[in-house]
Amino acid sequence: PYGYTPFCTSRETTLGFQFWRTGFWEKHLRGRPYHISALYVVDLERFRKTLVGDQLRSIYQQLSADPGSLANLDQDLPNSSQDKVPIFSLPREWLWCETWCSDETKPDAKTIDLCNNPLHKEPKVSMAKRVISGELFPESWVELDAEVEMYEKEYLESI
């Protein structure tokens, strides 16, 4: 009923942080990929017809009893539910994340996720300036950020 992009595994420097490759997730997934929730598609007709919402609610009730589960609810719930609600794996180029995907795979990316990197903390605007640029993105992140700040300031002064 839905499709998600599997996490990339091609960035060498973050291999040790790929939690889905060992322990609970490795055993639970049994060779299936762990999917990232930053971008997904839903076949609403199939979702409704097969009562996926009810299935997910039931699985959530079981999992939420454990305070250690569902750390990332938007990802963990569908990934842990794959036995009952299969996930269609979208092509990897649908979502590129610098943390997990190698630089060599970036030119094929259709969407870029400014995901957090466990090796360092970087503000999103700073990351956007560094990661998203080029001829397909002519806008300046400095100008865009200033424009957002201006609208934010106008709004706050109006209330």
Side-chain angles (χ1 to χ4, degrees):
Y2 40 57
Y4 290 77
T5 308
F7 264 93
C8 284
T9 56
S10 56
R11 182 154 308 271
E12 297 285 324
T13 56
T14 57
L15 287 176
F17 295 96
Q18 295 178 4
F19 59 88
W20 60 92
R21 298 178 87 174
T22 61
F24 168 81
W25 283 111
E26 180 186 35
K27 288 181 184 100
H28 183 76
L29 294 171
R30 295 186 315 274
R32 293 176 299 217
Y34 185 91
H35 298 82
I36 189 168
S37 64
L39 175 126
Y40 58 94
V41 294
V42 179
D43 179 338
L44 286 175
E45 190 172 310
R46 178 178 285 179
F47 188 94
R48 290 175 179 143
K49 187 182 270 184
T50 58
L51 304 173
V52 170
D54 292 339
Q55 292 178 65
L56 292 174
R57 275 189 289 282
S58 174
I59 294 165
Y60 172 79
Q61 288 296 339
Q62 295 166 14
L63 293 172
S64 64
D66 175 1
S69 71
L70 301 173
N72 294 306
L73 179 61
D74 57 327
Q75 285 177 183
D76 289 351
L77 182 57
N79 278 291
S80 65
S81 305
Q82 288 188 63
D83 286 337
K84 295 198 179 4
V85 184
I87 297 175
F88 176 79
S89 293
L90 299 170
R92 218 174 281 276
E93 64 267 11
W94 274 38
L95 186 65
W96 185 87
C97 165
E98 182 184 43
T99 300
W100 312 115
C101 304
S102 67
D103 293 335
E104 296 77 31
T105 60
K106 186 179 177 187
D108 297 327
K110 297 183 184 330
T111 308
I112 294 177
D113 178 11
L114 299 175
C115 51
N116 295 319
N117 188 318
L119 296 173
H120 52 79
K121 301 289 183 206
E122 182 178 13
K124 296 293 184 181
V125 172
S126 170
M127 188 185 300
K129 290 176 190 175
R130 186 177 54 73
V131 174
I132 306 172
S133 61
E135 63 187 52
L136 295 176
F137 196 83
E139 292 91 351
S140 160
W141 281 103
V142 174
E143 292 167 4
L144 288 171
D145 191 41
E147 187 177 345
V148 168
E149 283 184 27
M150 178 194 68
Y151 287 125
E152 208 171 59
K153 183 179 176 189
E154 283 179 13
Y155 170 75
L156 291 173
E157 289 172 355
S158 73
I159 54 174

